[in-house]
Amino acid sequence: MFEPVIAPSGTLLGLLQRGRGDGTLHALTAPRAEALAALDHCVLSDPRHDWQVENRSLYYARLYLELNGGLDEVERHLFAPEDVLDTCESRTGLALAVLGHLASYGRRDALELLRGYAARGANWAWALDELALRDDDAGLRALAAPVLARFTTDAEGEAELAAAVRDAFEPRPWRLWAEDSRASIGARVRKAGEAGCFDRWQRQLDSAGPRPGWSVAAVFDWAQQGLDRGAALHVPAARCLMAVAGPEDRPEILDAARGGGDGARCTALRYLADSNDPLALDLVEGAVADGSALVVEAAVDAFERMRSVAAVERARRWVRRPDALGAAAGRTLACRGGTQDSDSVLAALREAVRGEGPDASTLWTLVDGAGRLGIGCAAPVLRHVYRETASSHLRGRAARALAATDPTFPAGFAVECLWDCEESTREVAARHAETGSARVVEQLRRLAADPAEEAEVQTAVRSRMGPDMPAV
């Protein structure tokens, strides 16, 4: 999947791509054709940097309802010739999820479109999962024949069918089809289900991983073999060391941490850090000084996992370093430092935004730290991150930090957060947004009554609905 191109944050398209609450509010006041064009663009060209964790589908579905938008463009996208050539889930997953929410809201055209795509589309399994949550039994039973027709009746086809049944996210359609009296449907699905269960059991027996009785050297060798194949195994290998290493093995592990091969060195550093070994911090510093890029990354990760007082004290010494270890020290102080570390965390936050921009991965921890420590001076930087980041998860973290640091948050960003794409951000807004305007009260009541809304959000809303809340 290509990296999405995100429009400027001040444009309608940029707001909708980010999933900001202001996107919905601007779309409802913009010319309807312009708003629908921007909405279609977002749904057909997924703007998320991480489509597997960021939420947009309910946000876009609600806007289709508000605008009474048609689904012609979505239909053309789903059944375009590219559907045969590009079978990656990311091409159609967002559109199918939006259709699922629209079907939940009673949009019959969305339901029919999902049924048609489940029968003929390349990403049929996703469409079937959406239907499993929304369609009736009759609608699902009607899809049995076209779905099973995708799998040939030879050994290869039956194996593919068994894998599809085994890996189905929503089992309801397969259970319905297993009850079908036709041998070509019911008997075939039951046989595939049994084969899938056997395959799962057999894969567990055939594991090539560590075995009881392994030595420390064998664990190091396993980690290196994985690295040679392109698989970083030092994290599970470190867990294996926890089981097999004794006090007598410490010299061997220390030697590996000082200068072993990359697989062994990464494993040893992780093990020593997790064990809170008294030499772990010195060995981490040495690895950052002379290790390969992989070793440096493993050493930094191992340091950030340490919870000891000594690790926090060392972070205070390292936080001014202009390297990966200095950045890790800033994140450590953001997570576990005290109020005396506020200036260091604020400096790290500002430097990250200046040097890497509002989407830097290090910002997640630093933003949380600014909120945890209540750093009021961080509010301008947090507002910048909130506006500019393309990550809806990072924006939500910025919103939580602003709630703890910015006295203008309840009357400002908290209001637009009521329409945000992330439920956790809507929950923050529901707890903090000022209820002095009819628009806020109306949205709170709408969230409380919407069956598609998350329970946590509705609980937060209802906690605000007392006798003091003004009427709409």
Side-chain angles (χ1 to χ4, degrees):
M1 179 180 177
F2 294 108
E3 191 72 10
V5 177
I6 305 299
S9 62
T11 64
L12 174 59
L13 178 58
L15 290 170
L16 290 179
Q17 287 177 315
R18 289 169 172 81
R20 280 182 55 182
D22 257 5
T24 293
L25 299 176
H26 279 65
L28 295 178
T29 59
R32 182 171 175 273
E34 177 186 344
L36 283 173
L39 177 57
D40 284 337
H41 183 281
C42 293
V43 174
L44 308 187
S45 301
D46 194 335
R48 295 171 293 180
H49 282 270
D50 190 343
W51 63 274
Q52 292 179 310
V53 298
E54 291 188 43
N55 295 315
R56 292 292 189 280
S57 55
L58 180 59
Y59 172 84
Y60 293 143
R62 283 172 168 167
L63 191 50
Y64 271 115
L65 293 175
E66 293 275 6
L67 297 172
N68 193 25
L71 301 176
D72 291 345
E73 292 300 319
V74 175
E75 183 175 7
R76 275 192 282 273
H77 174 73
L78 291 178
F79 293 105
E82 289 81 8
D83 193 56
V84 178
L85 303 174
D86 183 1
T87 58
C88 181
E89 288 182 334
S90 61
R91 193 190 81 85
T92 53
L94 178 57
L96 294 172
V98 169
L99 291 177
H101 284 300
L102 288 174
S104 293
Y105 282 118
R107 284 281 296 260
R108 187 73 185 182
D109 54 346
L111 182 64
E112 294 295 341
L113 192 48
L114 276 174
R115 288 172 174 173
Y117 189 81
R120 306 190 303 278
N123 193 11
W124 61 272
W126 191 313
L128 187 61
D129 285 339
E130 297 291 340
L131 289 167
L133 299 174
R134 281 107 181 174
D135 208 351
D136 56 27
D137 287 357
L140 290 174
R141 287 193 175 102
L143 290 171
V147 168
L148 292 181
R150 296 174 176 275
F151 303 96
T152 59
T153 56
D154 57 14
E156 182 179 356
E158 295 299 343
E160 292 173 354
L161 176 59
V165 176
R166 181 193 68 215
D167 299 335
F169 191 74
E170 294 292 342
R172 181 178 163 227
W174 301 100
R175 289 173 180 169
L176 283 174
W177 300 343
E179 299 168 358
D180 196 294
S181 59
R182 292 169 291 178
S184 61
I185 304 293
R188 193 178 181 202
V189 171
R190 289 193 297 272
K191 181 180 178 182
E194 293 168 359
C197 291
F198 177 78
D199 180 60
R200 186 181 292 112
W201 172 75
Q202 191 172 44
R203 284 193 297 174
Q204 292 172 343
L205 290 181
D206 291 341
S207 172
R211 293 284 191 275
W214 270 28
S215 65
V216 168
V219 173
F220 286 153
D221 289 342
W222 181 63
Q224 186 61 48
Q225 290 164 11
L227 197 58
D228 293 341
R229 299 193 307 268
L233 297 178
H234 60 274
V235 174
R239 291 198 295 268
C240 291
L241 280 187
M242 289 289 185
V244 306
E248 69 281 2
D249 297 307
R250 184 169 179 263
E252 181 181 359
I253 297 173
L254 291 176
D255 287 343
R258 291 188 183 100
D262 281 0
R265 195 173 189 185
C266 291
T267 300
L269 288 167
R270 179 68 168 235
Y271 167 81
L272 293 169
D274 287 352
S275 304
N276 205 25
D277 189 280
L279 291 180
L281 291 166
D282 292 335
L283 291 169
V284 163
E285 188 171 19
V288 171
D290 62 15
S292 65
L294 179 68
V295 169
V296 170
E297 182 180 357
V300 167
D301 288 345
F303 164 64
E304 289 192 65
R305 288 173 54 83
M306 299 182 72
R307 299 292 186 268
S308 64
V309 173
V312 175
E313 291 296 333
R314 193 68 67 96
R316 291 176 179 140
R317 285 170 43 189
W318 288 342
V319 72
R320 303 299 179 191
R321 293 175 56 133
D323 60 4
L325 194 52
R331 293 191 294 270
T332 296
L333 295 178
C335 291
R336 292 179 285 283
T339 54
Q340 70 269 35
D341 302 306
S342 294
D343 289 344
S344 295
V345 173
L346 177 58
L349 176 64
R350 288 171 171 165
E351 180 59 31
V353 173
R354 276 196 301 264
E356 301 179 61
D359 292 310
S361 58
T362 192
L363 285 175
W364 293 53
T365 305
L366 295 174
V367 164
D368 286 348
R372 184 181 72 84
L373 297 172
I375 306 174
C377 294
V381 184
L382 295 172
R383 287 194 289 265
H384 173 75
V385 173
Y386 177 96
R387 291 189 191 97
E388 299 299 327
T389 181
S391 167
S392 54
H393 278 190
L394 178 55
R395 182 176 64 252
R397 289 171 180 255
R400 287 190 289 277
L402 285 168
T405 60
D406 186 0
T408 70
F409 179 73
F413 284 139
V415 174
E416 81 154 270
C417 285
L418 289 170
W419 285 266
D420 197 88
C421 66
E422 295 290 344
E423 64 267 15
S424 58
T425 307
R426 296 195 296 274
E427 181 183 355
V428 172
R431 297 190 184 281
H432 292 91
E434 287 188 355
T435 57
S437 75
R439 181 177 67 173
V440 170
V441 175
E442 180 184 2
Q443 178 64 2
L444 286 172
R445 296 189 187 280
R446 184 178 299 170
L447 293 175
D450 190 338
E453 188 53 78
E454 295 292 330
E456 292 82 359
V457 178
Q458 294 186 326
T459 298
V461 171
R462 288 165 185 152
S463 72
R464 304 286 303 281
M465 286 184 165
D468 297 332
M469 179 177 281
V472 178

